[in-house]
PDB file of all heavy atoms in Angstrom:
ATOM      1  N   GLU A1397      -6.200  17.601-135.308  1.00 96.00           N
ATOM      2  CA  GLU A1397      -6.018  19.084-135.126  1.00 96.00           C
ATOM      3  C   GLU A1397      -6.285  19.394-133.683  1.00 96.00           C
ATOM      4  O   GLU A1397      -7.141  18.786-133.023  1.00 96.00           O
ATOM      5  CB  GLU A1397      -7.065  19.778-135.923  1.00 96.00           C
ATOM      6  CG  GLU A1397      -6.848  19.726-137.436  1.00 96.00           C
ATOM      7  CD  GLU A1397      -7.886  20.543-138.220  1.00 96.00           C
ATOM      8  OE1 GLU A1397      -7.967  21.761-138.009  1.00 96.00           O
ATOM      9  OE2 GLU A1397      -8.642  19.862-138.933  1.00 96.00           O
ATOM     10  N   VAL A1398      -5.555  20.433-133.218  1.00 96.00           N
ATOM     11  CA  VAL A1398      -5.848  20.988-131.892  1.00 96.00           C
ATOM     12  C   VAL A1398      -6.189  22.440-132.143  1.00 96.00           C
ATOM     13  O   VAL A1398      -5.411  23.251-132.687  1.00 96.00           O
ATOM     14  CB  VAL A1398      -4.584  20.913-130.971  1.00 96.00           C
ATOM     15  CG1 VAL A1398      -4.830  21.578-129.642  1.00 96.00           C
ATOM     16  CG2 VAL A1398      -4.118  19.503-130.850  1.00 96.00           C
ATOM     17  N   LEU A1399      -7.428  22.826-131.753  1.00 96.00           N
ATOM     18  CA  LEU A1399      -8.004  24.113-132.019  1.00 96.00           C
ATOM     19  C   LEU A1399      -8.159  24.886-130.688  1.00 96.00           C
ATOM     20  O   LEU A1399      -8.689  24.413-129.686  1.00 96.00           O
ATOM     21  CB  LEU A1399      -9.382  23.944-132.666  1.00 96.00           C
ATOM     22  CG  LEU A1399      -9.435  23.037-133.920  1.00 96.00           C
ATOM     23  CD1 LEU A1399     -10.875  22.685-134.329  1.00 96.00           C
ATOM     24  CD2 LEU A1399      -8.662  23.659-135.043  1.00 96.00           C
ATOM     25  N   PHE A1400      -7.680  26.149-130.705  1.00 95.00           N
ATOM     26  CA  PHE A1400      -7.724  27.025-129.547  1.00 95.00           C
ATOM     27  C   PHE A1400      -8.808  28.051-129.724  1.00 95.00           C
ATOM     28  O   PHE A1400      -8.876  28.764-130.763  1.00 95.00           O
ATOM     29  CB  PHE A1400      -6.378  27.706-129.377  1.00 95.00           C
ATOM     30  CG  PHE A1400      -5.257  26.750-129.062  1.00 95.00           C
ATOM     31  CD1 PHE A1400      -4.541  26.111-130.051  1.00 95.00           C
ATOM     32  CD2 PHE A1400      -4.955  26.400-127.766  1.00 95.00           C
ATOM     33  CE1 PHE A1400      -3.530  25.255-129.861  1.00 95.00           C
ATOM     34  CE2 PHE A1400      -3.894  25.548-127.563  1.00 95.00           C
ATOM     35  CZ  PHE A1400      -3.241  24.919-128.543  1.00 95.00           C
ATOM     36  N   ASP A1401      -9.725  28.139-128.754  1.00 96.00           N
ATOM     37  CA  ASP A1401     -10.860  29.109-128.836  1.00 96.00           C
ATOM     38  C   ASP A1401     -10.322  30.532-128.756  1.00 96.00           C
ATOM     39  O   ASP A1401      -9.571  30.862-127.775  1.00 96.00           O
ATOM     40  CB  ASP A1401     -11.799  28.798-127.671  1.00 96.00           C
ATOM     41  CG  ASP A1401     -13.096  29.558-127.829  1.00 96.00           C
ATOM     42  OD1 ASP A1401     -13.130  30.650-128.214  1.00 96.00           O
ATOM     43  OD2 ASP A1401     -14.178  28.921-127.499  1.00 96.00           O
ATOM     44  N   GLU A1402     -10.725  31.328-129.719  1.00 96.00           N
ATOM     45  CA  GLU A1402     -10.308  32.733-129.708  1.00 96.00           C
ATOM     46  C   GLU A1402     -10.977  33.588-128.643  1.00 96.00           C
ATOM     47  O   GLU A1402     -10.571  34.666-128.328  1.00 96.00           O
ATOM     48  CB  GLU A1402     -10.620  33.359-131.090  1.00 96.00           C
ATOM     49  CG  GLU A1402      -9.643  32.879-132.153  1.00 96.00           C
ATOM     50  CD  GLU A1402      -8.251  33.469-131.999  1.00 96.00           C
ATOM     51  OE1 GLU A1402      -8.102  34.637-131.575  1.00 96.00           O
ATOM     52  OE2 GLU A1402      -7.281  32.705-132.209  1.00 96.00           O
ATOM     53  N   ASN A1403     -12.150  33.075-128.136  1.00 96.00           N
ATOM     54  CA  ASN A1403     -12.910  33.895-127.227  1.00 96.00           C
ATOM     55  C   ASN A1403     -12.883  33.426-125.769  1.00 96.00           C
ATOM     56  O   ASN A1403     -13.481  34.155-124.915  1.00 96.00           O
ATOM     57  CB  ASN A1403     -14.382  33.978-127.737  1.00 96.00           C
ATOM     58  CG  ASN A1403     -14.535  34.551-129.078  1.00 96.00           C
ATOM     59  OD1 ASN A1403     -14.015  35.680-129.344  1.00 96.00           O
ATOM     60  ND2 ASN A1403     -15.081  33.895-130.042  1.00 96.00           N
ATOM     61  N   ARG A1404     -12.325  32.287-125.488  1.00 95.00           N
ATOM     62  CA  ARG A1404     -12.351  31.804-124.140  1.00 95.00           C
ATOM     63  C   ARG A1404     -10.973  31.192-123.820  1.00 95.00           C
ATOM     64  O   ARG A1404     -10.624  30.151-124.382  1.00 95.00           O
ATOM     65  CB  ARG A1404     -13.474  30.772-123.952  1.00 95.00           C
ATOM     66  CG  ARG A1404     -13.507  30.252-122.507  1.00 95.00           C
ATOM     67  CD  ARG A1404     -14.869  29.954-122.077  1.00 95.00           C
ATOM     68  NE  ARG A1404     -14.831  29.538-120.741  1.00 95.00           N
ATOM     69  CZ  ARG A1404     -15.839  28.864-120.215  1.00 95.00           C
ATOM     70  NH1 ARG A1404     -16.771  28.445-120.877  1.00 95.00           N
ATOM     71  NH2 ARG A1404     -15.665  28.497-118.881  1.00 95.00           N
ATOM     72  N   VAL A1405     -10.291  31.800-122.936  1.00 94.00           N
ATOM     73  CA  VAL A1405      -8.936  31.250-122.543  1.00 94.00           C
ATOM     74  C   VAL A1405      -9.097  29.894-121.955  1.00 94.00           C
ATOM     75  O   VAL A1405     -10.001  29.618-121.135  1.00 94.00           O
ATOM     76  CB  VAL A1405      -8.397  32.286-121.512  1.00 94.00           C
ATOM     77  CG1 VAL A1405      -7.020  31.668-120.955  1.00 94.00           C
ATOM     78  CG2 VAL A1405      -8.143  33.644-122.090  1.00 94.00           C
ATOM     79  N   GLY A1406      -8.221  28.991-122.371  1.00 95.00           N
ATOM     80  CA  GLY A1406      -8.164  27.680-121.907  1.00 95.00           C
ATOM     81  C   GLY A1406      -9.104  26.647-122.564  1.00 95.00           C
ATOM     82  O   GLY A1406      -9.012  25.461-122.190  1.00 95.00           O
ATOM     83  N   ARG A1407      -9.933  27.092-123.445  1.00 97.00           N
ATOM     84  CA  ARG A1407     -10.804  26.153-124.150  1.00 97.00           C
ATOM     85  C   ARG A1407     -10.127  25.591-125.428  1.00 97.00           C
ATOM     86  O   ARG A1407      -9.626  26.387-126.267  1.00 97.00           O
ATOM     87  CB  ARG A1407     -12.146  26.783-124.548  1.00 97.00           C
ATOM     88  CG  ARG A1407     -13.021  25.786-125.251  1.00 97.00           C
ATOM     89  CD  ARG A1407     -14.351  26.231-125.679  1.00 97.00           C
ATOM     90  NE  ARG A1407     -15.223  26.447-124.467  1.00 97.00           N
ATOM     91  CZ  ARG A1407     -16.243  27.205-124.393  1.00 97.00           C
ATOM     92  NH1 ARG A1407     -16.692  27.873-125.482  1.00 97.00           N
ATOM     93  NH2 ARG A1407     -16.946  27.320-123.298  1.00 97.00           N
ATOM     94  N   ILE A1408      -9.999  24.293-125.485  1.00 96.00           N
ATOM     95  CA  ILE A1408      -9.377  23.713-126.607  1.00 96.00           C
ATOM     96  C   ILE A1408     -10.285  22.584-127.123  1.00 96.00           C
ATOM     97  O   ILE A1408     -10.951  21.880-126.288  1.00 96.00           O
ATOM     98  CB  ILE A1408      -8.037  23.063-126.133  1.00 96.00           C
ATOM     99  CG1 ILE A1408      -7.068  24.157-125.748  1.00 96.00           C
ATOM    100  CG2 ILE A1408      -7.401  22.255-127.280  1.00 96.00           C
ATOM    101  CD1 ILE A1408      -5.784  23.652-125.095  1.00 96.00           C
ATOM    102  N   VAL A1409     -10.276  22.431-128.405  1.00 97.00           N
ATOM    103  CA  VAL A1409     -11.074  21.315-129.067  1.00 97.00           C
ATOM    104  C   VAL A1409     -10.095  20.507-129.895  1.00 97.00           C
ATOM    105  O   VAL A1409      -9.250  21.076-130.602  1.00 97.00           O
ATOM    106  CB  VAL A1409     -12.222  21.903-129.954  1.00 97.00           C
ATOM    107  CG1 VAL A1409     -12.825  20.775-130.744  1.00 97.00           C
ATOM    108  CG2 VAL A1409     -13.251  22.609-129.105  1.00 97.00           C
ATOM    109  N   THR A1410     -10.110  19.232-129.706  1.00 96.00           N
ATOM    110  CA  THR A1410      -9.390  18.332-130.519  1.00 96.00           C
ATOM    111  C   THR A1410     -10.347  17.700-131.588  1.00 96.00           C
ATOM    112  O   THR A1410     -11.431  17.348-131.240  1.00 96.00           O
ATOM    113  CB  THR A1410      -8.611  17.239-129.774  1.00 96.00           C
ATOM    114  OG1 THR A1410      -9.582  16.342-129.122  1.00 96.00           O
ATOM    115  CG2 THR A1410      -7.618  17.798-128.786  1.00 96.00           C
ATOM    116  N   TYR A1411      -9.863  17.626-132.785  1.00 97.00           N
ATOM    117  CA  TYR A1411     -10.604  17.109-133.925  1.00 97.00           C
ATOM    118  C   TYR A1411      -9.763  16.089-134.629  1.00 97.00           C
ATOM    119  O   TYR A1411      -8.726  16.380-135.152  1.00 97.00           O
ATOM    120  CB  TYR A1411     -10.940  18.253-134.855  1.00 97.00           C
ATOM    121  CG  TYR A1411     -11.747  17.938-136.044  1.00 97.00           C
ATOM    122  CD1 TYR A1411     -13.097  17.730-135.932  1.00 97.00           C
ATOM    123  CD2 TYR A1411     -11.116  17.798-137.284  1.00 97.00           C
ATOM    124  CE1 TYR A1411     -13.883  17.395-137.092  1.00 97.00           C
ATOM    125  CE2 TYR A1411     -11.893  17.458-138.413  1.00 97.00           C
ATOM    126  CZ  TYR A1411     -13.284  17.316-138.264  1.00 97.00           C
ATOM    127  OH  TYR A1411     -14.004  16.972-139.400  1.00 97.00           O
ATOM    128  N   SER A1412     -10.197  14.812-134.489  1.00 97.00           N
ATOM    129  CA  SER A1412      -9.418  13.759-135.123  1.00 97.00           C
ATOM    130  C   SER A1412     -10.219  12.833-135.989  1.00 97.00           C
ATOM    131  O   SER A1412     -11.429  12.677-135.751  1.00 97.00           O
ATOM    132  CB  SER A1412      -8.700  12.971-134.019  1.00 97.00           C
ATOM    133  OG  SER A1412      -9.606  12.414-133.084  1.00 97.00           O
ATOM    134  N   HIS A1413      -9.568  12.214-136.964  1.00 96.00           N
ATOM    135  CA  HIS A1413     -10.131  11.237-137.832  1.00 96.00           C
ATOM    136  C   HIS A1413      -9.460   9.856-137.607  1.00 96.00           C
ATOM    137  O   HIS A1413      -8.233   9.856-137.418  1.00 96.00           O
ATOM    138  CB  HIS A1413      -9.885  11.558-139.337  1.00 96.00           C
ATOM    139  CG  HIS A1413     -10.591  12.830-139.751  1.00 96.00           C
ATOM    140  ND1 HIS A1413     -10.434  13.307-141.001  1.00 96.00           N
ATOM    141  CD2 HIS A1413     -11.402  13.738-139.093  1.00 96.00           C
ATOM    142  CE1 HIS A1413     -11.151  14.500-141.151  1.00 96.00           C
ATOM    143  NE2 HIS A1413     -11.728  14.700-139.981  1.00 96.00           N
ATOM    144  N   TRP A1414     -10.270   8.852-137.510  1.00 97.00           N
ATOM    145  CA  TRP A1414      -9.789   7.497-137.225  1.00 97.00           C
ATOM    146  C   TRP A1414     -10.267   6.529-138.332  1.00 97.00           C
ATOM    147  O   TRP A1414     -11.412   6.667-138.780  1.00 97.00           O
ATOM    148  CB  TRP A1414     -10.223   7.027-135.802  1.00 97.00           C
ATOM    149  CG  TRP A1414      -9.623   7.925-134.777  1.00 97.00           C
ATOM    150  CD1 TRP A1414     -10.061   9.151-134.320  1.00 97.00           C
ATOM    151  CD2 TRP A1414      -8.415   7.678-134.082  1.00 97.00           C
ATOM    152  NE1 TRP A1414      -9.240   9.629-133.366  1.00 97.00           N
ATOM    153  CE2 TRP A1414      -8.168   8.691-133.228  1.00 97.00           C
ATOM    154  CE3 TRP A1414      -7.480   6.557-134.088  1.00 97.00           C
ATOM    155  CZ2 TRP A1414      -7.107   8.819-132.329  1.00 97.00           C
ATOM    156  CZ3 TRP A1414      -6.360   6.712-133.248  1.00 97.00           C
ATOM    157  CH2 TRP A1414      -6.240   7.758-132.374  1.00 97.00           C
ATOM    158  N   GLU A1415      -9.502   5.527-138.631  1.00 96.00           N
ATOM    159  CA  GLU A1415      -9.914   4.536-139.609  1.00 96.00           C
ATOM    160  C   GLU A1415     -11.144   3.834-139.204  1.00 96.00           C
ATOM    161  O   GLU A1415     -12.016   3.489-139.984  1.00 96.00           O
ATOM    162  CB  GLU A1415      -8.773   3.542-139.880  1.00 96.00           C
ATOM    163  CG  GLU A1415      -7.608   4.083-140.627  1.00 96.00           C
ATOM    164  CD  GLU A1415      -6.499   3.068-140.779  1.00 96.00           C
ATOM    165  OE1 GLU A1415      -6.621   1.912-140.248  1.00 96.00           O
ATOM    166  OE2 GLU A1415      -5.498   3.445-141.362  1.00 96.00           O
ATOM    167  N   SER A1416     -11.250   3.579-137.915  1.00 96.00           N
ATOM    168  CA  SER A1416     -12.406   2.768-137.379  1.00 96.00           C
ATOM    169  C   SER A1416     -12.640   3.049-135.900  1.00 96.00           C
ATOM    170  O   SER A1416     -11.726   3.585-135.247  1.00 96.00           O
ATOM    171  CB  SER A1416     -12.161   1.279-137.602  1.00 96.00           C
ATOM    172  OG  SER A1416     -11.033   0.867-136.820  1.00 96.00           O
ATOM    173  N   ILE A1417     -13.739   2.635-135.406  1.00 97.00           N
ATOM    174  CA  ILE A1417     -14.017   2.744-133.966  1.00 97.00           C
ATOM    175  C   ILE A1417     -13.044   1.839-133.256  1.00 97.00           C
ATOM    176  O   ILE A1417     -12.600   2.197-132.098  1.00 97.00           O
ATOM    177  CB  ILE A1417     -15.522   2.454-133.589  1.00 97.00           C
ATOM    178  CG1 ILE A1417     -15.836   2.860-132.192  1.00 97.00           C
ATOM    179  CG2 ILE A1417     -15.843   1.034-133.838  1.00 97.00           C
ATOM    180  CD1 ILE A1417     -15.821   4.355-131.959  1.00 97.00           C
ATOM    181  N   LYS A1418     -12.630   0.756-133.803  1.00 97.00           N
ATOM    182  CA  LYS A1418     -11.727  -0.201-133.198  1.00 97.00           C
ATOM    183  C   LYS A1418     -10.354   0.529-132.944  1.00 97.00           C
ATOM    184  O   LYS A1418      -9.786   0.434-131.860  1.00 97.00           O
ATOM    185  CB  LYS A1418     -11.551  -1.465-134.091  1.00 97.00           C
ATOM    186  CG  LYS A1418     -10.544  -2.506-133.481  1.00 97.00           C
ATOM    187  CD  LYS A1418     -10.485  -3.704-134.316  1.00 97.00           C
ATOM    188  CE  LYS A1418      -9.597  -4.704-133.699  1.00 97.00           C
ATOM    189  NZ  LYS A1418      -8.498  -5.154-134.506  1.00 97.00           N
ATOM    190  N   ALA A1419      -9.890   1.215-134.010  1.00 97.00           N
ATOM    191  CA  ALA A1419      -8.562   1.912-133.892  1.00 97.00           C
ATOM    192  C   ALA A1419      -8.709   3.016-132.783  1.00 97.00           C
ATOM    193  O   ALA A1419      -7.775   3.144-131.984  1.00 97.00           O
ATOM    194  CB  ALA A1419      -8.214   2.524-135.201  1.00 97.00           C
ATOM    195  N   LEU A1420      -9.759   3.769-132.745  1.00 97.00           N
ATOM    196  CA  LEU A1420      -9.999   4.761-131.724  1.00 97.00           C
ATOM    197  C   LEU A1420      -9.980   4.132-130.343  1.00 97.00           C
ATOM    198  O   LEU A1420      -9.329   4.563-129.381  1.00 97.00           O
ATOM    199  CB  LEU A1420     -11.292   5.545-131.916  1.00 97.00           C
ATOM    200  CG  LEU A1420     -11.729   6.446-130.880  1.00 97.00           C
ATOM    201  CD1 LEU A1420     -10.613   7.609-130.632  1.00 97.00           C
ATOM    202  CD2 LEU A1420     -13.077   7.168-131.162  1.00 97.00           C
ATOM    203  N   ASN A1421     -10.712   3.040-130.166  1.00 97.00           N
ATOM    204  CA  ASN A1421     -10.803   2.404-128.880  1.00 97.00           C
ATOM    205  C   ASN A1421      -9.455   1.820-128.465  1.00 97.00           C
ATOM    206  O   ASN A1421      -9.158   1.802-127.257  1.00 97.00           O
ATOM    207  CB  ASN A1421     -11.928   1.360-128.876  1.00 97.00           C
ATOM    208  CG  ASN A1421     -13.347   1.967-128.813  1.00 97.00           C
ATOM    209  OD1 ASN A1421     -13.433   3.124-128.396  1.00 97.00           O
ATOM    210  ND2 ASN A1421     -14.312   1.329-129.335  1.00 97.00           N
ATOM    211  N   GLU A1422      -8.744   1.252-129.357  1.00 97.00           N
ATOM    212  CA  GLU A1422      -7.397   0.744-129.053  1.00 97.00           C
ATOM    213  C   GLU A1422      -6.486   1.871-128.498  1.00 97.00           C
ATOM    214  O   GLU A1422      -5.767   1.726-127.560  1.00 97.00           O
ATOM    215  CB  GLU A1422      -6.742   0.038-130.223  1.00 97.00           C
ATOM    216  CG  GLU A1422      -7.380  -1.306-130.485  1.00 97.00           C
ATOM    217  CD  GLU A1422      -6.923  -1.967-131.766  1.00 97.00           C
ATOM    218  OE1 GLU A1422      -6.032  -1.336-132.491  1.00 97.00           O
ATOM    219  OE2 GLU A1422      -7.335  -3.146-132.022  1.00 97.00           O
ATOM    220  N   TYR A1423      -6.596   3.037-129.117  1.00 97.00           N
ATOM    221  CA  TYR A1423      -5.852   4.251-128.621  1.00 97.00           C
ATOM    222  C   TYR A1423      -6.327   4.585-127.287  1.00 97.00           C
ATOM    223  O   TYR A1423      -5.556   4.795-126.331  1.00 97.00           O
ATOM    224  CB  TYR A1423      -5.990   5.378-129.634  1.00 97.00           C
ATOM    225  CG  TYR A1423      -5.595   6.692-128.954  1.00 97.00           C
ATOM    226  CD1 TYR A1423      -4.281   6.966-128.617  1.00 97.00           C
ATOM    227  CD2 TYR A1423      -6.510   7.647-128.556  1.00 97.00           C
ATOM    228  CE1 TYR A1423      -3.855   8.112-127.983  1.00 97.00           C
ATOM    229  CE2 TYR A1423      -6.179   8.802-127.953  1.00 97.00           C
ATOM    230  CZ  TYR A1423      -4.817   9.044-127.653  1.00 97.00           C
ATOM    231  OH  TYR A1423      -4.462  10.168-126.954  1.00 97.00           O
ATOM    232  N   ARG A1424      -7.657   4.610-127.009  1.00 96.00           N
ATOM    233  CA  ARG A1424      -8.200   5.070-125.780  1.00 96.00           C
ATOM    234  C   ARG A1424      -7.860   4.082-124.652  1.00 96.00           C
ATOM    235  O   ARG A1424      -7.948   4.467-123.489  1.00 96.00           O
ATOM    236  CB  ARG A1424      -9.724   5.236-125.892  1.00 96.00           C
ATOM    237  CG  ARG A1424     -10.003   6.433-126.830  1.00 96.00           C
ATOM    238  CD  ARG A1424     -11.543   6.647-126.991  1.00 96.00           C
ATOM    239  NE  ARG A1424     -12.128   7.047-125.761  1.00 96.00           N
ATOM    240  CZ  ARG A1424     -13.295   6.658-125.321  1.00 96.00           C
ATOM    241  NH1 ARG A1424     -14.081   5.912-126.093  1.00 96.00           N
ATOM    242  NH2 ARG A1424     -13.809   7.097-124.230  1.00 96.00           N
ATOM    243  N   CYS A1425      -7.507   2.871-125.003  1.00 97.00           N
ATOM    244  CA  CYS A1425      -7.111   1.880-123.978  1.00 97.00           C
ATOM    245  C   CYS A1425      -5.596   1.724-123.828  1.00 97.00           C
ATOM    246  O   CYS A1425      -5.138   0.902-123.094  1.00 97.00           O
ATOM    247  CB  CYS A1425      -7.722   0.452-124.334  1.00 97.00           C
ATOM    248  SG  CYS A1425      -9.503   0.421-124.208  1.00 97.00           S
ATOM    249  N   SER A1426      -4.893   2.580-124.489  1.00 96.00           N
ATOM    250  CA  SER A1426      -3.422   2.495-124.528  1.00 96.00           C
ATOM    251  C   SER A1426      -2.757   3.202-123.426  1.00 96.00           C
ATOM    252  O   SER A1426      -3.318   4.100-122.691  1.00 96.00           O
ATOM    253  CB  SER A1426      -2.910   3.060-125.882  1.00 96.00           C
ATOM    254  OG  SER A1426      -2.985   4.459-125.869  1.00 96.00           O
ATOM    255  N   GLU A1427      -1.503   2.876-123.196  1.00 93.00           N
ATOM    256  CA  GLU A1427      -0.681   3.538-122.165  1.00 93.00           C
ATOM    257  C   GLU A1427      -0.436   5.008-122.618  1.00 93.00           C
ATOM    258  O   GLU A1427      -0.369   5.907-121.773  1.00 93.00           O
ATOM    259  CB  GLU A1427       0.631   2.790-122.041  1.00 93.00           C
ATOM    260  CG  GLU A1427       1.496   3.322-120.907  1.00 93.00           C
ATOM    261  CD  GLU A1427       2.732   2.536-120.648  1.00 93.00           C
ATOM    262  OE1 GLU A1427       2.671   1.280-120.865  1.00 93.00           O
ATOM    263  OE2 GLU A1427       3.742   3.086-120.291  1.00 93.00           O
ATOM    264  N   VAL A1428      -0.356   5.283-123.868  1.00 90.00           N
ATOM    265  CA  VAL A1428      -0.132   6.665-124.384  1.00 90.00           C
ATOM    266  C   VAL A1428      -1.342   7.545-123.878  1.00 90.00           C
ATOM    267  O   VAL A1428      -1.162   8.614-123.370  1.00 90.00           O
ATOM    268  CB  VAL A1428      -0.061   6.672-125.936  1.00 90.00           C
ATOM    269  CG1 VAL A1428      -0.152   8.062-126.466  1.00 90.00           C
ATOM    270  CG2 VAL A1428       1.246   5.969-126.342  1.00 90.00           C
ATOM    271  N   PHE A1429      -2.525   6.991-124.039  1.00 93.00           N
ATOM    272  CA  PHE A1429      -3.759   7.760-123.656  1.00 93.00           C
ATOM    273  C   PHE A1429      -3.746   7.891-122.127  1.00 93.00           C
ATOM    274  O   PHE A1429      -3.952   9.026-121.601  1.00 93.00           O
ATOM    275  CB  PHE A1429      -4.998   7.015-124.133  1.00 93.00           C
ATOM    276  CG  PHE A1429      -6.264   7.731-123.763  1.00 93.00           C
ATOM    277  CD1 PHE A1429      -6.748   8.792-124.536  1.00 93.00           C
ATOM    278  CD2 PHE A1429      -7.006   7.308-122.703  1.00 93.00           C
ATOM    279  CE1 PHE A1429      -7.935   9.438-124.280  1.00 93.00           C
ATOM    280  CE2 PHE A1429      -8.237   7.955-122.374  1.00 93.00           C
ATOM    281  CZ  PHE A1429      -8.672   9.031-123.139  1.00 93.00           C
ATOM    282  N   ARG A1430      -3.485   6.897-121.380  1.00 94.00           N
ATOM    283  CA  ARG A1430      -3.521   6.923-119.948  1.00 94.00           C
ATOM    284  C   ARG A1430      -2.417   7.966-119.425  1.00 94.00           C
ATOM    285  O   ARG A1430      -2.698   8.710-118.489  1.00 94.00           O
ATOM    286  CB  ARG A1430      -3.255   5.538-119.290  1.00 94.00           C
ATOM    287  CG  ARG A1430      -4.441   4.668-119.310  1.00 94.00           C
ATOM    288  CD  ARG A1430      -4.230   3.401-118.510  1.00 94.00           C
ATOM    289  NE  ARG A1430      -3.164   2.562-118.960  1.00 94.00           N
ATOM    290  CZ  ARG A1430      -3.239   1.724-119.979  1.00 94.00           C
ATOM    291  NH1 ARG A1430      -4.409   1.548-120.567  1.00 94.00           N
ATOM    292  NH2 ARG A1430      -2.231   1.020-120.379  1.00 94.00           N
ATOM    293  N   ASP A1431      -1.206   7.927-119.987  1.00 88.00           N
ATOM    294  CA  ASP A1431      -0.194   8.896-119.600  1.00 88.00           C
ATOM    295  C   ASP A1431      -0.605  10.311-119.812  1.00 88.00           C
ATOM    296  O   ASP A1431      -0.400  11.185-118.995  1.00 88.00           O
ATOM    297  CB  ASP A1431       1.125   8.552-120.367  1.00 88.00           C
ATOM    298  CG  ASP A1431       1.785   7.297-119.924  1.00 88.00           C
ATOM    299  OD1 ASP A1431       1.340   6.710-118.911  1.00 88.00           O
ATOM    300  OD2 ASP A1431       2.701   6.848-120.590  1.00 88.00           O
ATOM    301  N   PHE A1432      -1.240  10.508-121.030  1.00 85.00           N
ATOM    302  CA  PHE A1432      -1.741  11.832-121.398  1.00 85.00           C
ATOM    303  C   PHE A1432      -2.738  12.344-120.314  1.00 85.00           C
ATOM    304  O   PHE A1432      -2.572  13.427-119.814  1.00 85.00           O
ATOM    305  CB  PHE A1432      -2.334  11.859-122.725  1.00 85.00           C
ATOM    306  CG  PHE A1432      -3.121  13.059-123.105  1.00 85.00           C
ATOM    307  CD1 PHE A1432      -2.558  14.207-123.380  1.00 85.00           C
ATOM    308  CD2 PHE A1432      -4.541  12.948-123.049  1.00 85.00           C
ATOM    309  CE1 PHE A1432      -3.311  15.346-123.662  1.00 85.00           C
ATOM    310  CE2 PHE A1432      -5.303  14.092-123.353  1.00 85.00           C
ATOM    311  CZ  PHE A1432      -4.672  15.310-123.638  1.00 85.00           C
ATOM    312  N   TRP A1433      -3.775  11.498-120.070  1.00 89.00           N
ATOM    313  CA  TRP A1433      -4.832  11.922-119.102  1.00 89.00           C
ATOM    314  C   TRP A1433      -4.296  12.103-117.652  1.00 89.00           C
ATOM    315  O   TRP A1433      -4.790  12.955-116.929  1.00 89.00           O
ATOM    316  CB  TRP A1433      -6.007  10.990-119.180  1.00 89.00           C
ATOM    317  CG  TRP A1433      -6.895  11.371-120.296  1.00 89.00           C
ATOM    318  CD1 TRP A1433      -7.133  10.683-121.429  1.00 89.00           C
ATOM    319  CD2 TRP A1433      -7.667  12.583-120.447  1.00 89.00           C
ATOM    320  NE1 TRP A1433      -7.950  11.377-122.265  1.00 89.00           N
ATOM    321  CE2 TRP A1433      -8.309  12.557-121.692  1.00 89.00           C
ATOM    322  CE3 TRP A1433      -7.825  13.650-119.618  1.00 89.00           C
ATOM    323  CZ2 TRP A1433      -9.123  13.594-122.135  1.00 89.00           C
ATOM    324  CZ3 TRP A1433      -8.644  14.714-120.048  1.00 89.00           C
ATOM    325  CH2 TRP A1433      -9.324  14.665-121.276  1.00 89.00           C
ATOM    326  N   THR A1434      -3.324  11.270-117.241  1.00 90.00           N
ATOM    327  CA  THR A1434      -2.791  11.428-115.966  1.00 90.00           C
ATOM    328  C   THR A1434      -2.162  12.821-115.768  1.00 90.00           C
ATOM    329  O   THR A1434      -2.282  13.452-114.756  1.00 90.00           O
ATOM    330  CB  THR A1434      -1.709  10.373-115.700  1.00 90.00           C
ATOM    331  OG1 THR A1434      -2.320   9.077-115.796  1.00 90.00           O
ATOM    332  CG2 THR A1434      -1.047  10.483-114.359  1.00 90.00           C
ATOM    333  N   VAL A1435      -1.527  13.326-116.787  1.00 86.00           N
ATOM    334  CA  VAL A1435      -0.872  14.681-116.765  1.00 86.00           C
ATOM    335  C   VAL A1435      -1.899  15.810-116.966  1.00 86.00           C
ATOM    336  O   VAL A1435      -1.868  16.792-116.239  1.00 86.00           O
ATOM    337  CB  VAL A1435       0.236  14.722-117.847  1.00 86.00           C
ATOM    338  CG1 VAL A1435       0.765  16.191-117.959  1.00 86.00           C
ATOM    339  CG2 VAL A1435       1.330  13.751-117.498  1.00 86.00           C
ATOM    340  N   VAL A1436      -2.763  15.639-117.847  1.00 89.00           N
ATOM    341  CA  VAL A1436      -3.663  16.745-118.320  1.00 89.00           C
ATOM    342  C   VAL A1436      -4.956  16.919-117.325  1.00 89.00           C
ATOM    343  O   VAL A1436      -5.368  18.023-117.071  1.00 89.00           O
ATOM    344  CB  VAL A1436      -4.086  16.589-119.711  1.00 89.00           C
ATOM    345  CG1 VAL A1436      -5.180  17.557-120.087  1.00 89.00           C
ATOM    346  CG2 VAL A1436      -2.963  16.767-120.647  1.00 89.00           C
TER     347      VAL A1436
END
């Protein structure tokens, strides 16, 4: 989920569920994650 703060412009919270810490870490080490952070 991507949640937008109603009281503060530009504040966003992401809320995600992962099968395991391994799955989360594999995503965090991925090119998809790196590309996202390079832009954002």
Side-chain angles (χ1 to χ4, degrees):
E1397 289 181 63
V1398 179
L1399 308 168
F1400 296 87
D1401 192 320
E1402 286 290 321
N1403 298 308
R1404 182 146 183 204
V1405 173
R1407 181 179 287 163
I1408 297 174
V1409 172
T1410 63
Y1411 179 79
S1412 57
H1413 295 176
W1414 296 84
E1415 289 177 358
S1416 65
I1417 193 72
K1418 182 179 183 232
L1420 172 61
N1421 287 336
E1422 286 174 357
Y1423 164 69
R1424 292 178 68 215
C1425 291
S1426 73
E1427 188 173 327
V1428 169
F1429 181 81
R1430 282 190 299 277
D1431 290 348
F1432 166 75
W1433 276 111
T1434 299
V1435 172
V1436 171

